[in-house]
Structures are given as C-alpha cells and as structure tokens.
Amino acid sequence: MPARSTPATVPSRTDPGLSPVGALPGVGPALADALAKLGLEQVQDLWFHLPLRYEDRTRVAAIADLRPGETAQVVGAVEAVERGFRYRPQLKVAIGDASRQTLLLRFFHFHRAQADLLRPGVRLLCFGEVRQGAHGLEMVHPQYRRLGDDEAVAVEDRLSPVYPATEGLGQKRLAGTVAKALALLPGATQLELIPAALCAEHGLASLRDALLYVHRPPPDAALAQLAQGRHPAQQRLAFEELLAQHIGLKRMRAAVRRRHAPVLDGDGRLRRAMLAALPFRLTAAQQRVGDEVLDDLACPKPMLRLVQGDVGSGKTVVAALAALAAVEAGHQVALVAPTELLAEQHLHNFRHWLEPLGVAVEWLAGKVAGKARQRALARVAEGAAPVVVGTHALMQEGVAFARLGLVIVDEQHRFGVQQRLALRDKGRDGERVPHQLVLTATPIPRTLAMSAYADLDVSSIDELPPGRTPVQTLAVSNARRGEVIERIHAACAEGRQAYWVCTLIEESEQLRAQAAEVAHAELSAALEGCRVGLIHGRMKPKEKQAVMDAFKTGELAVLVATTVIEVGVDVPNASLMVIENSERLGLAQLHQLRGRVGRGAVASSCVLLYQPPLGQLARERLAVMRETNDGFRIAEKDLELRGPGEVLGTRQTGQLAFRIADLARDAHLLPAVQQVGERMLAQYPEQATRLMQRWVGGAARYAQA
Ligand code: ADP
Ligand code: MG
C-alpha cells in the first residue's frame, strides 16, 4: 500500500491509553489478572468498559413515596426482626422512617452474625428494588449498610454505574479502577480518532464528553433514556463502535481482495447441458444473480458473495451452475451445509443434475467413517472428486483438496466468519484462495447485512418461480387439535400430502424423537387409510433418505417430523403443514418450516397449533406469520422482536458482541457510519487502525483474513 501522509492529530507515543492497566496506581498483578479476564488489558480498555446500567443513589426516598417496581434508596430504623424456621431460614426486618411507613426487608441467605447485628433501633441505609409483598412493600436482599447513630447520609452526586464484572472483582473495585483510568483521559482533541472535518460534517459530539457522561451521568440524567441506550452520549459511542466494526470488516475484505483466485471462466458446455435438462426455466432473478456470480468467478480476485433469497426462491440451481463453471475450468468445488439432512438434500440434487453430465459428486459428512472416508479423502486430495458435498466435517483438519476453486456455504447464518475463513483456507495455495459463495435462506434485514456482512457482496433472488400460490396461515388452539386432524384426513383423501411438525425445545435429540414418535402413533391411529411416516434426527441417513423418498413419491401421505425438516427439504406436492407448539418457535424458524409448503401449484395452508395462554411475544409472532409470507418483512420483524444476536444465531455473534451498539436500535446510524468509514479508510488509515484496536481489542481477529 502506498504511504499516505498522516494528519497531525495522531497522538504521540506517550498515549496513556496504551499503557498496561498495571501502570495505574493500586493495580497489582492480582487485580490486573482479574481485569484481564474481562478483556481489560490497557488503560483505554477501561475507558471503554461501559456501564451496563445505573443505580440512583443520589437521593434518599421516603418509604411512604415508594412504588413497587422502582429501585430506591431509603434510610430507616429497625422496628422488628423475625427469624424464620429452622428448615427454611428466613430473616425479616421491618424498618420505618419519618414518613411513618414500614418497609419489610427479606433475606433468605444470611449469617447469624449478620442477623444478630440487626436489632431494633439500628439505622440502616438500604438500596434495592421495591416489591409488593403480601403485607405491604418489601425489598428482597437489598444492599444495606449500618449507619452510626448520628451519621448523616452522604448521597452520591452522580448516578452510580454498574459495570460488567467478574468473579473476584466486585463493582466497587472495578468502578474505582475505571475512575483511575478516566483520570488519565487525554484532552478532547487528543482522544478523538475521527478527523475533525468528519465530526463536523456528521455533527458528532465530543467523544471525551460522551465517555465522561456515560461513566458518570449527573443526577438529573434521564435514566429511562440511558437504560435504553438512546442518550446522545451513548449514541455517540455506539456510532464509534459501529464504525470500528465496519472498518474491521472492510479491512478484512480488502485483505482478501489483495489475494489471487483462480480464473474460473469455463466454456459453458456443462452449464448449457444442465440448463437444457432442467424441467423449468430460470427466473429473471436467478438469471441475474447467476450472471453476477459468473462475472465474479471469471476474475482473478476472490469472490465473496452472499446470495440471499426467500425460502423456495431457487438458490440451489444457482449454486449448481456456479459449481459447474468451476468444474469446466478444471477446479474443485466444496458445498457445505449446516445439517446432515440439508447436506443430503444437496447431495441428492447435485447428483441428479451433475452426474448425467459425467461430473461425480463426493459425499463427506461426519458419519462417513473408516475405509469409505479414507477413500473419499484420497479422491478429494488427488483432485479426482470435482464436487464434494458435506457438513462441517468438510472444515475439519485432515481434509485437503487438490485444486479447490470455489467454496459454497449454504445457510450462512449458522456459520461464523471464523468458520468461513477456515473453509476457505482449505484451498489456500500461497496467496491464492478459492472463491466463496454464501447462500442464505433466512433473509437478512438490510441494516444487518450492511453491518454484519460488510465483508461480502450481496445478491438477492427477489422473485419466486412462477405458479406458486401464497400459503394461507392460521393459528389454532390445541383444544381444536381434533378438527385439524380431521382436516388432514380430508386433504389426504384428495391425494394431498401433509407435514406434521413436532417442536419440542428439549435439547436432547432423544426427547425430540420421542415426542415425534408419540405424535406418529396418534396420527397413525386417527388417520385411517393414510400412510403416516416418521423422520427425526436420531435416524440413520439411509433411513431418513428412505422415508424422504417415500414421501416424495407419494407413498406416504403424512410425514411426522421434528424440526430436522426445517431447512432444505423439498416436496412440491405437500400442501398442508401443521406445526405443533408453534408458540415456542422464533419467527425465522416458523418461516423456514412454512417454506416447505407452497412449492407446487395447489393452494397450500399452514396451521400453527398453539398451547394457550399465549404470551405477548408469541402472540405477536403468530400475528406476523398470519399477516405475511414475505421473508424480508418477517426478518425485519424478527430483528425488532429479538435483537440481532439471536437473529444471526449466537454461534457467530463473536463479531457482533457489541459493548454499547445495538444493531436494531442503532440501525439509523449505519448510513453515516459507512460514509465516515469509507473516508477514514481512504484518507486516514492510521486513525482507522487505532479506532479498530480501541474498540475491537487487538486487530488480531481481522488480521487472519
Ligand atoms: P431455496 O432457495 O429455498 O434453496 P430451492 O433451490 O430448494 O430453493 O428450490 C425450491 C424448488 O423450486 C425446487 O424444487 C427447485 O427445483 C424449484 N425451482 C428452482 N428454480 C425454479 C424455476 N426457475 N422454476 C420452477 N421451479 C424452480
Ligand atoms: Mg435451499
């Protein structure tokens, strides 16, 4: 990279933020170790260790003014003490104050010595949440301190921050250490890493003021606004954090772009043959996205493209055509899916399309073991296997490719960036890396895509194949289960097919399988004359495939399944879906499941069976499902209801573990974040690096791109 002139705002080497925390007065090795557990190693890490919430100890409330639900500080004298039973210890302490009201303090865990000190007449300063008890207001396990007889209560002059803490490091010490670090905060200009011109352009307030405010808000600060993270000072910090992340992802992407990739511009022979054999024509959207992918593949720079499209939009065909382009150019392709069942479906489709063209498709899942695995590995290593389909097993050590040119990852949201990198590194040959195509069936809200996937280009298949009829969705109480079963019976009599999905949230696959077996028995008995099949995660791949095949050919009328069918399963004749305990599932999962029907020309319906009473969130989710079939709408709603961490799956939130920003809440900041990010990367690379280090803590995570 050419050297650029760096503006004069770069702080000197004596930047106090870069000193180790051990340099602070009173921070010895033990405390430094405890801080390190929280990822706090440099002084600046403490500056950016932001409070989770605040406690208001700036005033003492009169007991008479307390309201249930509020957190308050009171001073009162002990009026009565009651020690609980021997087998269920409990300590109840009634205190009263000048407002002539009584508050009950309730302790379930206490030491005898502690209890002995709480005698009538003793004055206490208490802080805690007020609850409505059976006989009046109470506080359970309040924080408290005995006051001396004439001791005046010194209230805090600032709201008290509560920091993310860790075992062995209490709030008090942590807050004290943060305060010491804040004492070293340099002047506003020196602290600022966003160039002044950009701050002015985007109306960004002083970072120094924002930090001091967030660590020590004044007593009149709007606590509710602070609690929601919507205070301007917090928004200023959120902006900077999002900016740091954006810069990190862009850097990672740039690093990949500097590498080389094989030019995959085959003669189109295989692709034309596959298209000719398909029983349908590509939609305009498939055509467009397919062309975008082919253009990328023909470049000597690694492709990093995310293809998103709603369930059933036909992403698999696009992926298969991309794979053939690589094969035509003499390179290998790896296709990875998150579950064995989905990988099997891909295997099935790919074999169906590619093998008639003389392109062998290799299978490499976790369950392929022993000799079969050795042989498969050898074929992959020698380059004799042009296309390999599998699960995470493909990403494990010991799998080597001869000429990996393209990696296709399906259902991206379940993989993390790190996993993506691991797979791509399989094909690494010095500076040469394979192209990467990522498919996602869960549409990612635009705002999230911009941020979480700033390292990818995005293509959208925004059109469904013709002839599909929208799925009609209804929510039905489990009390009317019998009617639903009747309905299935009638549908099957007309030659239609149905899914019955059991959704136990139990973690164990065994319990889930059991629940499905129970439903299978129930339906088999109730649906006379219909053949009912069963599929769950504990079955062997061969058994699963046999059941799926029987359902596909129509031999089975009803398929009872666990959520293993959530992704990828494709049986166009199935037009009815019943989802049990739908109130327990998230929107993304419900949408995925529902996407299994509505694939043929027959009008389809989806019945969401629920167990009343419904909670507020569940009610909203089911309402959204009834209102719309649009995956993008649903994803936006999901983001609103759940927050981005969960939308993307916890496994990959490492990147998204923000300290202060919240993608759902702060999405409005993203356009400006992008603009400032681009300018900093182009004109102020050194500040960009330091900003990233400040927030992301060591650029190491991005460096391995
Ligand atoms: P998804 O995007 O959910 O992965 P699939 O690739 O599984 O969707 O496609 C869903 C179904 O639609 C499959 O049966 C596939 O063969 C079919 N399909 C794909 N493209 C078209 C098209 N252009 N016209 C008609 N059917 C199509
Ligand atoms: Mg798919």
Side-chain angles (χ1 to χ4, degrees):
M1 209 195 282
R4 290 192 173 88
S5 66
T6 321
T9 48
V10 175
S12 66
R13 279 204 191 85
T14 54
D15 182 348
L18 300 180
S19 313
V21 289
L24 291 170
V27 179
L31 181 52
D33 279 354
L35 291 167
K37 276 201 206 116
L38 290 168
L40 308 173
E41 290 172 354
Q42 297 179 336
V43 169
Q44 67 173 359
D45 296 336
L46 286 164
W47 297 343
F48 291 92
H49 191 60
L50 302 171
L52 286 171
R53 57 189 175 85
Y54 302 91
E55 289 175 351
D56 185 356
R57 296 162 191 268
T58 61
R59 57 199 187 88
V60 173
I63 294 178
D65 294 339
L66 296 179
R67 297 281 166 271
E70 74 181 349
T71 301
Q73 178 166 254
V74 294
V75 172
V78 175
E79 292 175 345
V81 180
E82 194 184 314
R83 296 277 281 270
F85 323 107
R86 194 136 52 106
Y87 298 108
R88 207 170 137 260
Q90 189 177 153
L91 176 66
K92 294 195 263 185
V93 180
I95 60 168
D97 68 1
S99 71
R100 308 176 65 101
Q101 294 284 323
T102 306
L103 176 71
L104 186 68
L105 313 180
R106 208 188 267 277
F107 300 87
F108 298 101
H109 313 281
F110 55 93
H111 300 296
R112 164 181 261 185
Q114 175 190 4
D116 288 345
L117 288 173
L118 297 173
R119 286 187 304 269
V122 167
R123 290 173 73 226
L124 298 177
L125 172 66
C126 307
F127 182 87
E129 191 183 333
V130 182
R131 307 193 330 171
Q132 185 65 56
H135 306 289
L137 296 180
E138 52 182 55
M139 281 184 184
V140 176
H141 279 273
Q143 302 170 26
Y144 73 90
R145 184 166 74 79
R146 277 185 63 169
L147 292 173
D149 287 343
D150 317 308
E151 183 180 343
V153 178
V155 294
E156 306 280 338
D157 61 348
R158 298 267 155 177
L159 297 177
S160 318
V162 179
Y163 292 102
T166 181
E167 206 167 326
L169 179 56
Q171 279 303 324
K172 237 192 167 136
R173 267 219 311 169
L174 188 50
T177 313
V178 170
K180 283 178 198 159
L182 286 174
L184 299 182
L185 208 56
T189 352
Q190 203 193 343
L191 184 68
E192 203 69 67
L193 290 177
I194 305 177
L198 290 176
C199 282
E201 225 170 276
H202 292 271
L204 298 178
S206 146
L207 173 66
R208 190 173 197 278
D209 291 350
L211 266 182
L212 289 175
Y213 192 96
V214 167
H215 282 289
R216 300 201 279 246
D220 62 353
L223 257 183
Q225 198 186 29
L226 278 173
Q228 291 174 356
R230 293 182 198 275
H231 189 278
Q234 290 166 311
Q235 290 281 293
R236 171 65 178 80
L237 295 174
F239 183 93
E240 189 148 326
E241 185 172 28
L242 290 168
L243 179 62
Q245 197 224 17
H246 184 81
I247 287 171
L249 286 170
K250 285 285 179 191
R251 279 272 168 83
M252 178 159 115
R253 179 192 159 92
V256 174
R257 288 293 166 131
R258 278 195 294 276
R259 298 239 169 77
H260 302 283
V263 172
L264 305 179
D265 59 348
D267 54 11
R269 182 180 53 86
L270 293 171
R271 278 170 283 160
R272 277 193 300 275
M274 179 180 141
L275 284 172
L278 283 178
F280 50 74
R281 291 174 46 144
L282 296 188
T283 63
Q286 283 170 316
Q287 189 73 56
R288 172 174 43 79
V289 170
D291 288 347
E292 283 165 5
V293 172
L294 291 180
D295 285 349
D296 285 355
L297 292 179
C299 281
K301 294 204 174 304
M303 167 174 79
L304 276 173
R305 187 170 287 278
L306 176 77
V307 168
Q308 57 176 1
D310 212 340
V311 213
S313 60
K315 294 179 290 291
T316 321
V317 184
V318 173
L321 289 168
L324 285 179
V327 175
E328 283 166 9
H331 279 79
Q332 287 172 294
V333 179
L335 168 58
V336 180
T339 68
E340 187 123 341
L341 191 76
L342 181 55
E344 283 162 22
Q345 289 272 320
H346 281 314
L347 179 72
H348 188 79
N349 281 325
F350 269 50
R351 285 200 167 144
H352 179 69
W353 290 326
L354 307 196
E355 292 197 335
L357 311 176
V359 178
V361 181
E362 193 71 50
W363 174 234
L364 199 54
K367 286 186 187 146
V368 180
K371 285 244 167 63
R373 183 177 181 83
Q374 292 312 319
R375 280 196 299 269
L377 287 176
R379 281 194 294 270
V380 174
E382 287 156 13
V387 178
V388 187
V389 176
T391 54
H392 312 264
L394 265 186
M395 282 183 258
Q396 277 155 16
E397 303 289 322
V399 183
F401 290 82
R403 289 184 316 277
L404 185 57
L406 169 64
V407 174
I408 303 173
V409 183
D410 196 4
E411 309 293 341
Q412 143 69 20
H413 63 297
R414 303 196 180 203
F415 292 111
V417 173
Q418 298 305 325
Q419 283 167 297
R420 229 157 63 201
L421 293 177
L423 184 61
R424 206 203 39 222
D425 284 347
K426 292 280 171 213
R428 200 153 161 181
D429 173 11
E431 283 301 286
R432 257 161 69 120
V433 295
H435 296 279
Q436 207 180 148
L437 180 65
V438 177
L439 310 177
T440 172
T442 302
I444 298 156
R446 223 178 80 76
T447 47
L448 212 51
M450 275 181 2
S451 184
Y453 298 101
D455 62 324
L456 299 169
D457 291 313
V458 180
S459 296
S460 291
I461 306 186
D462 48 8
E463 173 186 8
L464 292 180
R468 304 255 170 104
T469 34
V471 182
Q472 251 234 327
T473 302
L474 34 147
V476 175
S477 158
N478 200 34
R480 292 168 54 200
R481 190 183 176 90
E483 290 170 44
V484 174
I485 295 178
E486 255 327 293
R487 190 169 162 168
I488 296 184
H489 210 164
C492 294
E494 292 167 16
R496 293 168 62 189
Q497 288 177 284
Y499 292 101
W500 183 285
V501 186
C502 301
T503 60
L504 208 65
I505 14 194
E506 241 65 51
E507 266 313 300
S508 121
E509 195 63 60
Q510 184 180 351
L511 287 173
R512 279 197 289 258
Q514 270 171 16
E517 274 157 15
V518 170
H520 178 245
E522 177 194 358
L523 290 174
S524 302
L527 299 173
E528 221 182 299
C530 298
R531 288 201 55 191
V532 183
L534 172 66
I535 189 166
H536 58 68
R538 301 243 304 167
M539 290 161 57
K540 297 211 169 69
K542 272 222 175 78
E543 297 169 344
K544 278 191 273 186
Q545 196 57 57
V547 173
M548 282 317 300
D549 288 346
F551 191 57
K552 253 190 176 154
T553 58
E555 200 182 306
L556 291 172
V558 178
L559 183 64
V560 175
T562 54
T563 45
V564 295
I565 66 154
E566 179 190 340
V567 280
V569 173
D570 185 30
V571 180
N573 190 49
S575 60
L576 186 57
M577 162 150 308
V578 179
I579 304 175
E580 273 202 89
N581 295 116
S582 57
E583 77 278 4
R584 296 178 180 177
L585 297 188
L587 276 175
Q589 223 181 350
L590 287 171
H591 182 63
Q592 285 295 314
L593 283 169
R594 181 172 62 182
R596 301 307 112 207
V597 293
R599 298 186 159 220
V602 198
S604 296
S605 38
C606 175
V607 177
L608 305 173
L609 269 184
Y610 64 85
Q611 192 63 52
L614 281 180
Q616 176 61 27
L617 209 61
R619 190 183 303 276
E620 280 188 53
R621 283 197 299 256
L622 297 188
V624 174
M625 289 299 292
R626 283 204 310 269
E627 274 159 31
T628 181
N629 276 297
D630 179 346
F632 282 90
R633 267 280 301 137
I634 290 175
E636 300 274 0
K637 198 70 198 173
D638 203 20
L639 182 60
E640 200 180 299
L641 293 178
R642 286 197 306 164
E646 294 195 59
V647 171
L648 291 169
T650 43
R651 250 203 274 147
Q652 72 155 43
T653 46
Q655 287 273 334
L656 295 169
F658 291 114
R659 296 185 208 184
I660 193 161
D662 172 329
L663 283 172
R665 182 191 65 210
D666 304 330
H668 62 280
L669 298 174
L670 288 171
V673 163
Q674 276 192 315
Q675 284 173 29
V676 174
E678 303 314 312
R679 288 273 295 278
M680 283 187 69
L681 281 166
Q683 293 169 14
Y684 308 90
E686 208 159 317
Q687 276 101 322
T689 303
R690 298 192 26 173
L691 189 76
M692 202 167 90
Q693 284 165 344
R694 177 185 273 179
W695 282 93
V696 187
R701 269 200 280 171
Y702 296 111
Q704 41 183 300

